[in-house]
Amino acid sequence: MTPQDLQAIRNIIARAKRWDAFFGVLGILALMVGVLTFMTLFVDMAIQGMGRIDVGFFTNFPSRHAGQAGILSAWVGTVLVMIVTGLAAVPLGVAAGVYLEEYAPKHWVTDLIEINITNLAGVPSIVYGLLALGLFVYQFGLGQSILSAGLTLALLILPVVIVATREAIRSIPQIIREGSYACGATNWQTVRDHILPYSSAGILTGVIIGMARAIGETAPIITIGALTFIAFLPPLPFAGEPPAGLFDWLFAPFTVMPIQMFNWTSRPEAAFQANAAAAGFILVLMTLAMNGAAIWLRYRLRKNITW
Amino acid sequence: MSNETTLNIEPDANAAIKAECRNFGFYYGDFQALKDINMPLYDKKVTALIGPSGCGKSTLLRSFNRMHDLYPGNRYQGEIVMQPDNTNLLAREVDPIEVRMRISMVFQKPNPFPKSIFENVAYSLRVRGLTNKSELADRVQHSLKGAALWDEVKHRLNDLGANLSGGQQQRLCIARALAADPEIILFDEPTSALDPIATASIEELITELKEKVTILIVTHNMQQAARISDFTAYMYIGELIEFGVTDQVFIKPKNKQTEDYITGRFG
Ligand SMILES: Nc1ncnc2c1ncn2[C@@H]1O[C@H](COP(=O)(O)OP(=O)(O)O)[C@@H](O)[C@H]1O
Ligand SMILES: [Mg+2]
């Protein structure tokens, strides 16, 4: 190799490396657009709303006076709806995922179901709202209740739970399954003693991520008829006069955090905008807390699982 | 190539047959992996399956506990008959779970469950509906002793099985396979993932186990087959080429191909 050749190679490398640097910068910029936009929004919301956040904000019902208004009915409603959502989506989604992975014969029918589930995840949430309005609210007569809302959101996150379950199950090595069957275990014993315990971390993560998505859903909840102004709480079991039943709260009218926010942002008075910002800040914190819980749970549950 | 298996058996008067492949064949979908295999497994003896990689050793081994039933498209042909009850293990009406309860298996790579040492061994008993605590504890201890692991783990039964060394994990898997008193234990290259010392302890263990149970072991290690087995079966591309008393097969193979393989001329 002559010195000229060497110089030529170095020139080529230098030119190629300029593109390296160029893409590096481009990538960082692209990342910044996303991260900075979110950070700005979040910080702006925090600054705007911070003045409104005190104990009273959590313990007061909404009010015509912005300074006295709080999110009591909204956060209670959100928590209760989420409980129903979780209780409905987890058993259904996990059972469906386990069936597809461990029981279903692999042929075109299961392929078709798979494609459908993936597509279901992409259906706009308001369509679920319409479906739920017809099915839960009117057909089943559940009314415009916490139960209807919880079931609607459960439908919405069902594909997420199914997909998470299947992925968690698929990450279990085949040799562990074979070990179980070789001991003489049945299909169900293998699922109960191995598949479910070893995939629980992944499943829980999926459930929580699904719930974090559901917690901010507004359109389907409005569609089934959640109220925007609620100045009472759902009845506690066995409380009040005449005493409420154990499950009466399921059928109570309700509101949720995003609807409360929406209601406040549509008011002309500036003071209500601060309320909306404060509520939004808390909603984001709730979502972040759920994602944090997902990460922690995954870490905790996976600690004892090595293949 | 001849379809006739070369038999190389000295008249061995006191060996009873525990199981026997009769005109046995196996298909992965359309692919025929095993052809017309006729082979006895002698009671409380170690039979080694040897042959070049891909010749069908694992496929044959996994037919004995109907592992292939777990996957669609697999098909058995012929019979594997188990004694003393003369049951054809492959018969449609015989439940594969029943077969696996009689014939247990140890895999190539140690595969303890991500559970405690105790629960790993107890699992074979739990699937049989055993729940009595003291009986479970007794039998787990007995199996761990049988697998020469008890002294090393008796103070840490609640530790994860995965925290053991590779050789200990494999002995844990042997304890699991022993726990429910199987009639046959299948080993698929049980030492190929282990170091020489762990390998030696597993080999010693296998020699002890044959007092109580019939053993079928796949190995790619000629010396191992010579050391631990009583009978050796040499396979080549899905066929059983030679079967006989290990000493005979290794010292005076009757088939030229067996000789070439054993002396390292191919494979
Ligand atoms: N699941 C499977 N599907 C299709 N062919 C297989 C499968 N497993 C093994 N085979 C084929 O069957 C033959 C025997 O394989 P195997 O029993 O694993 O060989 P060995 O254990 O002797 O190395 C090989 O040709 C292998 O490619
Ligand atoms: Mg093999």
Side-chain angles (χ1 to χ4, degrees):
Chain A
M1 185 175 278
T2 65
Q4 286 93 328
D5 286 344
L6 197 58
Q7 195 52 46
I9 288 174
R10 285 185 181 149
N11 288 342
I12 291 169
I13 293 174
R15 211 173 320 135
K17 284 218 158 158
R18 275 201 290 281
W19 282 103
D20 253 7
F22 175 73
F23 185 77
V25 172
L26 203 74
I28 289 179
L29 283 177
L31 192 66
M32 283 306 168
V33 171
V35 174
L36 282 182
T37 312
F38 173 75
M39 288 305 287
T40 317
L41 275 174
F42 187 62
V43 170
D44 183 54
M45 207 161 62
I47 292 169
Q48 227 196 332
M50 202 52 87
R52 286 291 297 119
I53 296 178
D54 53 19
V55 176
F57 192 63
F58 293 94
T59 56
N60 288 340
F61 287 111
S63 155
R64 247 162 310 176
H65 310 287
Q68 291 159 24
I71 56 170
L72 179 60
S73 46
W75 75 256
V76 171
T78 286
V79 169
L80 294 179
V81 168
M82 281 300 120
I83 288 173
V84 175
T85 301
L87 288 181
V90 172
L92 283 177
V94 172
V98 167
Y99 176 78
L100 283 173
E101 283 304 313
E102 299 292 324
Y103 283 83
K106 308 273 181 275
H107 51 54
W108 66 273
V109 180
T110 28
D111 285 350
L112 201 71
I113 293 174
E114 263 195 72
I115 294 168
N116 263 306
I117 289 172
T118 322
N119 284 337
L120 233 48
V123 172
S125 59
I126 190 150
V127 174
Y128 284 99
L130 272 179
L131 172 81
L133 183 66
L135 191 67
F136 299 140
V137 179
Y138 296 124
Q139 194 75 39
F140 294 170
L142 302 180
Q144 301 170 329
S145 59
I146 290 175
L147 183 58
S148 293
L151 293 179
T152 308
L153 295 184
L155 275 188
L156 186 76
I157 70 167
L158 207 50
V160 179
V161 177
I162 294 175
V163 169
T165 302
R166 299 187 62 183
E167 265 162 23
I169 288 177
R170 273 187 214 162
S171 72
I172 299 173
Q174 191 58 21
I175 192 153
I176 294 286
R177 272 183 202 87
E178 289 195 349
S180 171
Y181 286 117
C183 287
T186 59
N187 229 352
W188 167 243
Q189 283 169 331
T190 302
V191 165
R192 183 195 61 196
D193 302 332
H194 304 284
I195 304 300
L196 284 179
Y198 310 155
S199 60
S200 59
I203 294 175
L204 260 171
T205 312
V207 168
I208 296 178
I209 287 170
M211 303 257 277
R213 179 186 163 194
I215 203 172
E217 277 297 340
T218 321
I221 307 273
I222 291 184
T223 313
I224 64 164
L227 301 179
T228 52
F229 189 97
I230 291 261
F232 53 86
L233 289 181
L236 281 174
F238 313 122
E241 196 58 49
L246 184 54
F247 295 115
D248 278 10
W249 60 274
L250 280 174
F251 299 96
F254 68 101
T255 192
V256 290
M257 295 285 290
I259 292 181
Q260 184 65 68
M261 268 182 79
F262 174 70
N263 174 258
W264 279 334
T265 47
S266 55
R267 299 279 192 108
E269 303 96 314
F272 280 112
Q273 304 306 317
N275 283 0
F281 178 70
I282 287 158
L283 186 58
V284 172
L285 283 190
M286 283 170 119
T287 314
L288 291 181
M290 289 175 91
N291 284 326
I295 293 168
W296 182 76
L297 270 172
R298 182 160 46 183
Y299 167 74
R300 276 302 306 268
L301 290 170
R302 288 223 175 127
K303 219 169 47 176
N304 285 345
I305 293 181
T306 44
W307 317 114
Chain B
M1 181 184 302
S2 78
N3 264 340
E4 201 75 347
T5 304
T6 311
L7 286 182
N8 196 344
I9 309 177
E10 291 270 276
D12 192 341
N14 46 17
I17 288 179
K18 181 63 199 170
E20 192 174 13
C21 298
R22 293 183 190 156
N23 303 324
F24 174 70
F26 182 81
Y27 291 82
Y28 289 111
D30 292 331
F31 172 65
Q32 182 164 20
L34 296 174
K35 290 177 211 103
D36 198 32
I37 295 199
N38 289 285
M39 182 183 83
L41 279 193
Y42 288 100
D43 195 29
K44 303 200 169 66
K45 300 282 180 199
V46 177
T47 302
L49 289 175
I50 61 170
S53 175
C55 70
K57 305 180 295 293
S58 299
T59 305
L60 178 57
L61 189 88
R62 290 160 62 88
S63 301
F64 276 84
N65 67 343
R66 304 249 318 244
M67 224 43 182
H68 299 300
D69 286 42
L70 296 177
Y71 306 97
N74 295 341
R75 193 156 53 83
Y76 309 96
Q77 217 175 37
E79 297 181 330
I80 297 180
V81 180
M82 190 145 161
Q83 303 300 349
D85 44 307
N86 207 32
T87 305
N88 173 15
L89 301 178
L90 307 176
R92 211 169 281 278
E93 67 276 8
V94 174
D95 195 316
I97 292 169
E98 175 190 310
V99 176
R100 293 176 201 141
M101 286 194 172
R102 299 181 65 181
I103 304 181
S104 62
M105 178 166 182
V106 176
F107 295 76
Q108 185 165 357
K109 187 172 168 284
N111 61 344
F113 302 131
K115 296 180 186 290
S116 69
I117 292 170
F118 183 91
E119 283 304 326
N120 260 285
V121 182
Y123 193 66
S124 299
L125 304 168
R126 290 198 192 277
V127 295
R128 287 159 175 81
L130 193 70
T131 49
N132 182 301
K133 279 218 173 74
S134 67
E135 196 184 344
L136 272 174
D138 282 350
R139 293 189 61 176
V140 166
Q141 176 177 353
H142 188 250
S143 311
L144 283 169
K145 281 182 174 159
L149 189 59
W150 174 251
D151 289 329
E152 289 155 70
V153 302
K154 62 185 172 196
H155 298 302
R156 47 190 291 211
L157 290 176
N158 292 321
D159 257 24
L160 283 180
N163 290 345
L164 298 171
S165 73
Q168 290 174 322
Q169 285 187 23
Q170 197 59 303
R171 275 179 283 150
L172 180 63
C173 294
I174 293 174
R176 183 173 75 192
L178 271 179
D181 283 329
E183 296 163 61
I184 301 176
I185 303 185
L186 310 169
F187 289 85
D188 193 350
E189 303 195 21
T191 61
S192 65
L194 304 181
D195 62 64
I197 293 172
T199 298
S201 77
I202 301 274
E203 285 183 9
E204 191 187 328
L205 180 55
I206 288 173
T207 316
E208 282 166 19
L209 288 179
K210 73 173 179 186
E211 312 249 303
K212 285 170 288 184
V213 20
T214 305
I215 289 169
L216 181 60
I217 178 170
V218 172
T219 174
H220 63 260
N221 180 331
M222 288 310 107
Q223 287 80 30
Q224 182 168 76
R227 275 194 300 267
I228 64 174
S229 72
D230 303 297
F231 295 88
T232 296
Y234 171 68
M235 295 175 66
Y236 185 70
I237 324 185
E239 291 186 58
L240 180 61
I241 304 297
E242 178 157 353
F243 176 89
V245 175
T246 297
D247 291 345
Q248 300 279 322
V249 171
F250 274 84
I251 297 164
K252 282 193 303 205
K254 293 214 166 120
N255 191 296
K256 178 78 171 60
Q257 231 187 323
T258 316
E259 187 180 347
D260 288 350
Y261 181 71
I262 286 171
T263 52
R265 251 167 287 190
F266 86 99

